[in-house]
């Protein structure tokens, strides 16, 4: 059994009424535990520790377990912006409930979920990382899937053997993406930027260390540096001044540095590609 909470309830799976009773808990104690908030009743015969994350509880309330981009997001893996809960449900299962209330059927209250019908193996309340990534091939664009794999590799959630397994399980048309995976990327937008500038057919170096400057995100054609800025790491004047000093140090060494924000890369990628195209034309 995996970790348990302060009351001995598993943190990595749900527990049934019979299991609770078999552990010596009375009906009244179960009722009191739910009322007092240290045990959560997701649906009939499905109980969870109060310490599990809300997406896990909602997936169990629907009638399955957390899957696909929802599972990856909970693990801290980069995924493209999503709006609905993704749930793996056994094909033999019926009577799916709303994520918000076990008294209502799924979809009757405007709170829907993306249901992935496939056999549920194991008793964990969230699918394993490799299975979540495999499922995400159908819910994300190819570039976004590569960004998710890069992120999971960088975080140490999966390894190269897992990547081999993932591409062995997906349809053949997706296997060409295997060569694009690079776990050195430190963020999803960095992966997306790298994939965007590959179209120019020039070398793209990842996380390159430049003497006197330090490590930079991407170097295109040996001289165009791309730094993928996020609000979290570049807000405030002190970080911005540090970035400007780096840019000047790069210029002194013959590099040109451009700094698209993560939001630009995600919403207006042409801003980046137009800039790189123009710089390459000037160099020629």
């Amino acid at each position: 059994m995996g970790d348990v909470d302060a009351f001995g309830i598993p943190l990595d799976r749900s527990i049934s009424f019979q299991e609770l009773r078999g552990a010596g808990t009375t009906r009244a104690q179960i009722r009191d535990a739910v009322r007092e908030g240290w045990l959560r009743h997701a649906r009939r015969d499905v109980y969870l520790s109060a310490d599990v994350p809300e997406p896990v509880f909602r997936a169990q309330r629907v009638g399955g377990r957390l899957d696909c981009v929802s599972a990856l997001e909970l693990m801290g893996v980069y995924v493209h912006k999503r709006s609905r809960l993704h749930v793996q449900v056994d094909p033999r299962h019926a009577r799916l409930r709303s994520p918000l209330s076990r008294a209502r059927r799924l979809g009757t209250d405007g709170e829907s979920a993306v249901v992935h019908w496939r056999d549920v193996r194991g008793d964990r309340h969230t699918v394993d990382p490799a299975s979540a990534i495999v499922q995400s091939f159908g819910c994300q664009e190819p570039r976004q899937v590569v960004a998710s794999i890069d992120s999971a590799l960088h975080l140490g959630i999966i390894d190269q053997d897992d990547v081999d397994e993932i591409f062995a399980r997906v349809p053949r048309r997706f296997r060409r993406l295997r060569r694009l995976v690079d776990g050195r990327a430190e963020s999803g937008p960095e992966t997306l930027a790298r994939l965007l500038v590959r179209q120019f057919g020039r070398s793209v170096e990842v996380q390159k260390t430049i003497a006197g400057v330090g490590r930079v995100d991407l170097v295109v054609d040996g001289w165009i540096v791309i730094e993928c800025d996020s609000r979290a790491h570049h807000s405030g004047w002190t970080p911005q001044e540090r970035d400007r000093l780096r840019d000047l140090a790069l210029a002194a060494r013959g590099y040109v540095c451009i700094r698209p924000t993560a939001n630009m890369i995600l919403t207006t990628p042409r801003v980046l590609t137009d800039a790189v195209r123009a710089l390459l034309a000037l160099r020629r």
Side-chain angles (χ1 to χ4, degrees):
M1 181 180 293
D3 293 338
V4 297
D5 65 13
F7 300 97
I9 306 300
L11 290 171
D12 61 352
R13 67 181 183 89
S14 62
I15 189 167
S16 70
F17 181 81
Q18 289 303 320
E19 287 179 286
L20 290 169
R21 294 286 285 120
T25 310
T26 67
R27 292 174 181 270
Q29 287 173 329
I30 294 172
R31 185 171 59 251
D32 290 344
V34 172
R35 185 177 65 250
E36 293 169 9
W38 58 264
L39 184 65
R40 300 191 71 180
H41 189 192
R43 58 186 286 129
R44 182 178 180 182
D45 205 31
V46 177
Y47 295 85
L48 292 153
S49 165
D51 293 339
V52 301
E54 187 63 22
V56 167
F57 176 76
R58 292 190 177 192
Q60 290 287 318
R61 173 160 276 172
V62 168
R65 59 181 178 173
L66 204 64
D67 194 10
C68 195
V69 294
S70 295
L72 294 174
E73 184 177 45
L74 184 66
M75 297 172 198
V77 173
Y78 169 83
V79 294
H80 189 57
K81 184 178 179 180
R82 64 170 189 84
S83 58
R84 292 192 292 170
L85 191 72
H86 289 243
V87 185
Q88 181 194 52
V89 178
D90 192 296
R92 295 162 294 188
H93 198 81
R95 297 178 61 82
L96 302 188
R97 302 286 94 182
S98 161
L100 300 181
S101 172
R102 66 177 184 269
R104 297 195 293 268
R105 295 193 304 274
L106 180 65
T108 59
D109 57 359
E111 183 69 21
S112 60
V114 178
V115 177
H116 298 296
W117 298 96
R118 67 185 195 275
D119 289 342
V120 175
R121 300 177 182 178
D123 61 357
R124 293 182 178 271
H125 55 47
T126 301
V127 302
D128 63 273
S131 295
I133 291 172
V134 169
Q135 185 62 57
S136 78
F137 274 78
C139 296
Q140 298 191 99
E141 295 179 1
R143 285 176 179 169
Q144 296 159 0
V145 175
V146 174
S148 291
I149 298 173
D150 281 2
S151 175
L153 274 172
H154 182 72
L155 294 170
I157 292 172
I158 62 173
D159 57 24
Q160 292 296 337
D161 289 340
D162 294 319
V163 176
D164 292 338
E165 177 195 340
I166 287 165
F167 281 97
R169 291 169 59 184
V170 299
R172 186 176 297 274
R173 68 181 183 277
F174 291 124
R175 293 178 187 173
R176 61 186 175 83
L177 300 177
R178 175 67 177 85
R179 60 188 174 86
L180 302 179
V181 171
D182 192 326
R184 291 175 295 171
E186 294 185 342
S187 70
E190 181 185 324
T191 294
L192 296 175
R194 183 184 83 239
L195 298 179
L196 284 169
V197 299
R198 284 185 74 260
Q199 64 181 283
F200 299 111
R202 307 301 178 92
S203 66
V204 183
E205 298 171 274
V206 179
Q207 292 297 319
K208 179 180 175 64
T209 298
I210 298 174
V213 177
R215 199 151 44 94
V216 298
D217 292 340
L218 303 169
V219 180
V220 181
D221 200 36
W223 63 282
I224 303 174
V225 172
I226 301 176
E227 293 277 56
C228 305
D229 289 351
S230 66
R231 181 180 298 178
H233 295 96
H234 299 270
S235 61
W237 179 247
T238 299
Q240 291 184 39
E241 188 172 55
R242 183 178 63 243
D243 291 341
R244 284 163 171 75
L245 286 172
R246 280 169 56 90
D247 293 349
L248 291 170
L250 286 166
R253 290 159 176 76
Y255 294 91
V256 171
C257 182
I258 55 179
R259 291 183 174 274
T261 65
N263 184 60
M264 292 174 188
I265 295 168
L266 294 172
T267 61
T268 54
R270 187 170 177 176
V271 171
L272 172 60
T273 55
D274 283 352
V276 173
R277 182 182 293 107
L279 286 170
L280 290 172
L282 283 172
R283 186 77 164 205
R284 287 197 297 272

